[in-house]
Amino acid sequence: MDLLKEKIAQEGKVLSDTVLKVDSFLNHQIDPLLMREIGEEFANRFKDEVITKILTIESSGIAPATMLGLTIGAEVVFARKKKSLTLSGNLYTSQVYSFTKQETNEISVSKDFLSPDDNVLIIDDFLANGEAVKGLLDIAKQAGCKIVGVGIVIEKGFQNGGKVLREQGIRVESLAIIKSLKNNTIEFAE
Ligand code: 5GP
């Protein structure tokens, strides 16, 4: 997606050989016009599929997932990382190791919002080693949902999450794939 790649090239900051900071439009401040385009691009890529629920994880997956939900008219469920007082019992849970925070979080989704009738598309901001997506897949499977695929805003192609998921036969659509962050340079895959 050219608009997204241009934005990453202009505003992305390489923090290390493995971490890209995109706080100005995705992870802290949000660019709603770009997010709308992202939602439409996901809708277009998965237009041949019936999607009844979009599943993401707080917090940075919520904006792109919601824009997709708005485009296709499907509800968005986000897994929570911290248990809230209003979220007790009746939960699907999974363990997710966070690449950026280097800690394991238990993520949870209320059983009220996923059912075996749902065709679920998973959305997230970044794909690195695939831990967050694996946790979301685990939750969707516990709920007996059909998995339509995975939509990612930025995939870091030099980490193995995308490869592992695709080898499992899961359809992964990434709007921008980064080949390398070495030498403080953002290089995109073709
Ligand atoms: P994974 O679970 O695939 O290893 O990592 C994906 C998750 O970690 C995403 O939900 C995202 O929040 C975070 N993440 C991984 N790599 C990066 C990165 O380079 N930059 C930012 N901003 N977040 C990342």
Side-chain angles (χ1 to χ4, degrees), residues 18-22 27 57 96-100 124-133 156 159:
T18 54
V19 178
L20 177 68
K21 184 168 172 170
V22 286
N27 291 136
I57 182 165
V96 170
Y97 178 76
S98 165
F99 172 75
T100 43
D124 204 8
D125 60 339
F126 270 88
L127 179 61
N129 296 315
E131 295 292 322
V133 169
K156 290 183 292 178
Q159 290 173 299

Side-chain angles (χ1 to χ4, degrees), residues 15-89:
L15 292 192
S16 71
D17 283 359
T18 54
V19 178
L20 177 68
K21 184 168 172 170
V22 286
D23 275 13
S24 68
F25 64 91
L26 182 60
N27 291 136
H28 194 0
Q29 175 170 261
I30 289 169
D31 178 341
L33 296 179
L34 176 65
M35 237 24 86
R36 184 168 65 191
E37 300 278 335
I38 284 173
E40 287 171 0
E41 179 71 20
F42 280 135
N44 190 40
R45 294 207 189 188
F46 287 97
K47 63 176 183 293
D48 51 331
E49 301 278 1
V50 175
I51 298 163
T52 64
K53 259 311 134 101
I54 300 160
L55 179 62
T56 188
I57 182 165
E58 68 177 352
S59 51
S60 296
I62 296 175
T66 303
M67 288 304 185
L68 169 61
L70 192 62
T71 308
I72 64 173
E75 276 161 327
V76 177
V77 180
F78 62 93
R80 304 184 83 149
K81 288 178 181 161
K82 294 248 154 46
K83 287 240 170 71
S84 109
L85 282 176
T86 57
L87 195 70
S88 58

Side-chain angles (χ1 to χ4, degrees), residues 104-160:
T104 299
N105 286 303
E106 184 173 76
I107 64 165
S108 50
V109 171
S110 166
K111 291 186 177 172
D112 291 341
F113 302 127
L114 292 175
S115 87
D117 295 333
D118 280 319
N119 289 345
V120 170
L121 176 62
I122 289 171
I123 294 287
D124 204 8
D125 60 339
F126 270 88
L127 179 61
N129 296 315
E131 295 292 322
V133 169
K134 263 187 260 167
L136 294 172
L137 283 168
D138 180 27
I139 282 179
K141 280 179 195 154
Q142 288 175 44
C145 305
K146 178 174 174 274
I147 314 285
V148 168
V150 175
I152 297 291
V153 181
I154 304 173
E155 174 177 343
K156 290 183 292 178
F158 54 86
Q159 290 173 299
N160 75 349

